[in-house]
Amino acid sequence: MAYEVAAPKYVRLAQTIQRRIEDGTYPPGTRVPSENQLVQAFGMSRPTVVRALELLKRDGWLESRQGYGTIVRGRPEVVEQRDRRGREALERDESRASGRLVEVAEVPVPARVASALGLPKRAKVLMRRFLVAEDGEAVELISSYFPAGLVEGTELASSELLSGGSREHVEARKKVRFDHVTERVSARLPDSDEAELLGLPDDVPVLSVLVIACDASGQALQVSDVLLPADRQELEDTYRLN
């Protein structure tokens, strides 16, 4: 059984500051608020604020300049690489993508998805499941989940292929705006249906990238579970040493 654990306070604060950098509240080249100002603004302890700032410096969002304070660097290149799966899940044009639409159905919300969408465990959501193939081989299985309130007035429940991607489709019809994405990466064994679709033998795990797409208020609009066969993946990351 998998359990969802809330991120530590310093991580949540770092995510908030990161979103403000991305939306232009803290533009590149400017100073972020001082530690005292952040303590007052967020009601958190100084050690929590210090850890959040250090995390953002480590990942390349901020840098310290002697005599000037902590400066916004902007969005690091490595983050652009990490977000590729999330962007593809939101923007994939089913009508042009290599692969096939496997299933469109109303299903009980999976526990991890319910937590992200803020729904009760027995709620029903719409699922669109798409199998991505390259050179005849299945390489990704994408299960996207939408709350009922977002489905009404759209073609998400149609068995026809969507053009332009789910993000473009929803934004045009529901007058909402996707603002940011959070990705949670884990490893697990696939269920029998997933293993069959991906062509996996017994006991081969998958990497699960849970893509949570939110509006500016932090409300999740769509959650996609991107499954990647672990025996066909090579992951690389780069980070700075301060």
Side-chain angles (χ1 to χ4, degrees):
M1 180 180 294
Y3 295 92
E4 293 290 339
V5 180
K9 286 184 178 180
Y10 77 94
V11 173
R12 298 201 299 272
L13 176 57
Q15 290 171 336
T16 298
I17 296 172
Q18 174 186 317
R19 287 196 292 270
R20 294 189 179 188
I21 294 172
E22 292 190 298
D23 68 17
T25 302
Y26 303 151
T30 63
R31 286 187 293 182
V32 295
S34 67
E35 291 177 9
N36 285 338
Q37 289 172 324
L38 292 172
V39 167
Q40 293 296 320
F42 294 99
M44 294 186 178
S45 68
R46 184 177 297 278
T48 297
V49 169
V50 170
R51 290 191 71 184
L53 294 176
E54 288 301 319
L55 180 61
L56 291 166
K57 291 174 189 176
R58 184 201 72 185
D59 289 346
W61 293 88
L62 305 174
E63 67 175 327
S64 295
R65 291 185 187 173
Q66 190 171 4
Y68 196 68
T70 300
I71 308 301
V72 177
R73 297 189 63 173
R75 185 179 178 85
E77 181 180 352
V78 68
V79 175
E80 298 285 354
Q81 298 169 359
R82 287 175 181 169
D83 282 356
R84 182 172 65 87
R85 299 292 182 191
R87 289 178 181 273
E88 288 180 352
L90 296 174
E91 298 173 2
R92 175 173 278 105
D93 187 332
E94 293 176 352
S95 66
R96 296 174 179 270
S98 175
R100 62 187 175 92
L101 185 62
V102 175
E103 183 180 7
V104 180
E106 188 179 73
V107 299
V109 60
R112 295 176 70 206
V113 177
S115 174
L117 289 174
L119 295 175
K121 293 181 179 179
R122 296 183 181 181
K124 292 289 187 73
V125 291
L126 179 77
M127 179 187 72
R128 293 185 69 87
R129 175 167 282 179
F130 193 89
L131 183 67
V132 181
E134 293 180 0
D135 298 323
E137 181 182 45
V139 293
E140 292 182 26
L141 180 62
I142 306 169
S143 301
S144 295
Y145 301 90
F146 306 88
L150 201 69
V151 174
E152 185 179 356
T154 74
E155 297 173 17
L156 292 173
S158 170
S159 59
E160 299 296 320
L161 297 174
L162 288 180
S163 61
S166 59
R167 174 186 177 181
E168 179 180 329
H169 184 83
V170 170
E171 287 186 337
R173 288 157 179 77
K174 300 298 290 186
K175 307 305 179 186
V176 297
R177 183 176 183 276
F178 287 71
D179 180 77
H180 60 274
V181 167
T182 298
E183 296 184 7
R184 301 175 185 171
V185 182
S186 60
R188 64 175 174 84
L189 289 174
D191 64 30
S192 57
D193 289 340
E194 294 166 344
E196 182 178 356
L197 287 167
L198 288 168
L200 295 177
D202 293 342
D203 300 325
V204 173
V206 291
L207 295 179
S208 167
V209 183
L210 195 69
V211 179
I212 305 168
C214 303
D215 62 18
S217 72
Q219 174 63 49
L221 302 173
Q222 171 182 338
V223 175
S224 297
D225 192 9
V226 182
L227 296 187
L228 310 161
D231 62 344
R232 305 170 199 166
Q233 304 302 314
E234 180 176 344
L235 302 180
E236 179 176 335
D237 197 1
T238 303
Y239 58 92
R240 295 179 176 85
L241 296 175
N242 295 325

